[in-house]
Amino acid sequence: MKKYKIEAFENLVSAFQELPSIGKKSAIRMAYNIVMEDSFAGMKLAHAIEEGVNSIQRCKKCHNMSEDELCFICSDEFRDNTTLCVVQSAKDIITIEESGQYKGIYYIVTQLADLDEYHLRDAVKGIEEVIFAFPPSLATDTMILYIEDKLANSSIYFTKIAQGVPTGVELDNIDVLSLTRAMESRVKV
Ligand SMILES: [Zn+2]
């Protein structure tokens, strides 16, 4: 007897399983839905994935997700160009933007190893306040100290979001209201 195997289906299941937070059961359910129940949704998904992957790049000024060289925030003349919020991920920008309270611009530093000092210096030209919106941890505290040290001979005022944000929790797991409060009651670093 041959081993039960449908190669194209199994490839689709394993492709889904490579995505974050998708286990085998969900991967099988989604793959089955696409190939057997709703092939139109499947083609739509394939098209959206291809378009997303091909058209989204990093903003050359702040590293946010963007369809153009500059993201919609960096190219918005009505944003407050004197306040810069430093975040770890473009996902954090989505969370903060959802609150609708922050009017400044952003800069993404995922980890210190990726930080280009000259690029950062360029990004803080004209900036009066830098707000660190990192989830509290030893690693992010080190990042704050490092960045502040690199920009020490500027007149920038450095703050970080208040400790209302629990240690080790990513910003996209925090509700918008808590994040808004943490931004409002930011403290000097
Ligand atoms: Zn940008």
Side-chain angles (χ1 to χ4, degrees):
M1 197 171 95
K2 282 186 192 165
K3 188 178 182 296
Y4 182 73
K5 193 174 170 67
I6 306 159
E7 206 176 336
F9 184 72
E10 282 169 21
N11 287 345
L12 186 57
V13 170
S14 55
F16 274 127
Q17 262 190 287
E18 281 173 35
L19 300 173
S21 58
I22 305 290
K24 186 151 193 179
K25 269 190 182 171
S26 306
I28 290 174
R29 207 177 304 136
M30 289 194 292
Y32 185 81
N33 182 270
I34 281 170
V35 297
M36 297 299 287
E37 292 170 346
D38 196 347
S39 57
F40 179 72
M43 294 312 289
K44 213 168 113 185
L45 178 69
H47 179 69
I49 290 173
E50 196 180 352
E51 203 187 334
V53 169
N54 289 332
S55 68
I56 294 173
Q57 52 181 311
R58 283 181 189 277
C59 166
K60 73 174 190 187
K61 194 175 170 206
C62 74
H63 305 143
N64 189 13
M65 286 188 286
S66 180
E67 285 182 288
D68 301 297
E69 273 202 343
L70 284 183
C71 71
F72 76 101
I73 296 171
C74 288
S75 52
D76 181 351
E77 55 185 307
F78 297 107
R79 302 289 299 208
D80 169 11
N81 282 308
T82 64
T83 310
L84 184 89
C85 181
V86 184
V87 292
Q88 264 191 308
S89 152
K91 284 182 295 176
D92 300 338
I93 296 181
I94 298 172
T95 312
I96 296 170
E97 284 300 298
E98 264 175 23
S99 76
Q101 300 294 311
Y102 179 69
K103 306 282 180 240
I105 54 176
Y106 296 92
Y107 193 76
I108 299 175
V109 183
T110 306
Q111 50 181 356
L112 279 184
D114 306 333
L115 182 67
D116 176 344
E117 207 182 308
Y118 297 100
H119 189 270
L120 173 69
R121 278 186 205 285
D122 220 37
V124 299
K125 276 190 185 133
I127 296 294
E128 291 166 15
E129 180 182 357
V130 165
I131 305 166
F132 294 101
F134 291 152
S137 76
L138 207 59
T140 56
D141 280 349
T142 311
M143 281 165 73
I144 293 175
L145 285 174
Y146 184 87
I147 294 170
E148 203 183 354
D149 183 59
K150 290 294 166 204
L151 303 173
N153 50 6
S154 65
S155 55
I156 297 168
Y157 185 69
F158 295 95
T159 57
K160 63 175 179 180
I161 57 170
Q163 289 293 333
V165 178
T167 307
V169 173
E170 288 192 27
L171 289 194
D172 53 352
N173 291 322
I174 293 164
D175 67 277
V176 170
L177 188 64
S178 309
L179 187 64
T180 306
R181 286 201 186 122
M183 284 282 268
E184 277 169 359
S185 48
R186 56 191 186 266
V187 292
K188 193 181 179 329
V189 287

